[in-house]
Amino acid sequence: MGYRTRLALAAFCLALATQSALAQQPAALMSGDQWLGMYESGPTGQEAAAAYVAGYVDGIHAAEATAKRKRFCVPDNVTEIELATMVAEYLNTKSVFRRMGAPFVIDNAFKDRFPC
């Protein structure tokens, strides 16, 4: 599956997964619990969750392109699905973060795992 197809699929799944949740809470970000629900919903949800994580990681790398200190440094040989699985494992061991925004969760999951 190509990058753009995954990105479009992630956006679609994200919209479906958060439609009812957004009506209930004013938060603009997907929560860790919503992300985990998407990840655990099946292969399509797992792909969408992986694309969400990859988008976050790409955004951080772009924002920190000229920074002297990086938040985390993900090795090139780690796949998007592996990254998503790491985030899911992190949420399953630290359930207190499920109410936090998914970007916060992803950031914390990778800071210790992939130091620069």
Side-chain angles (χ1 to χ4, degrees), residues 57 60-61 64 67-75 107 110-116:
V57 170
I60 290 298
H61 286 158
E64 295 180 341
K68 290 182 182 181
R69 188 163 187 212
K70 311 282 187 203
R71 283 178 142 103
F72 49 80
C73 294
V74 177
D107 202 65
F110 294 157
K111 279 182 183 176
D112 292 334
R113 186 115 190 199
F114 301 117
C116 295

Side-chain angles (χ1 to χ4, degrees), residues 8-77:
L9 177 63
F12 176 74
C13 290
L14 178 63
L16 287 178
T18 61
Q19 184 177 16
S20 64
L22 289 176
Q24 295 173 5
Q25 66 186 106
L29 299 175
M30 175 185 276
S31 71
D33 202 36
Q34 290 168 324
W35 182 91
L36 188 59
M38 181 171 56
Y39 175 84
E40 293 176 339
S41 69
T44 302
Q46 191 178 48
E47 285 282 334
Y52 186 98
V53 171
Y56 178 78
V57 170
D58 287 346
I60 290 298
H61 286 158
E64 295 180 341
T66 59
K68 290 182 182 181
R69 188 163 187 212
K70 311 282 187 203
R71 283 178 142 103
F72 49 80
C73 294
V74 177
D76 291 336
N77 64 339

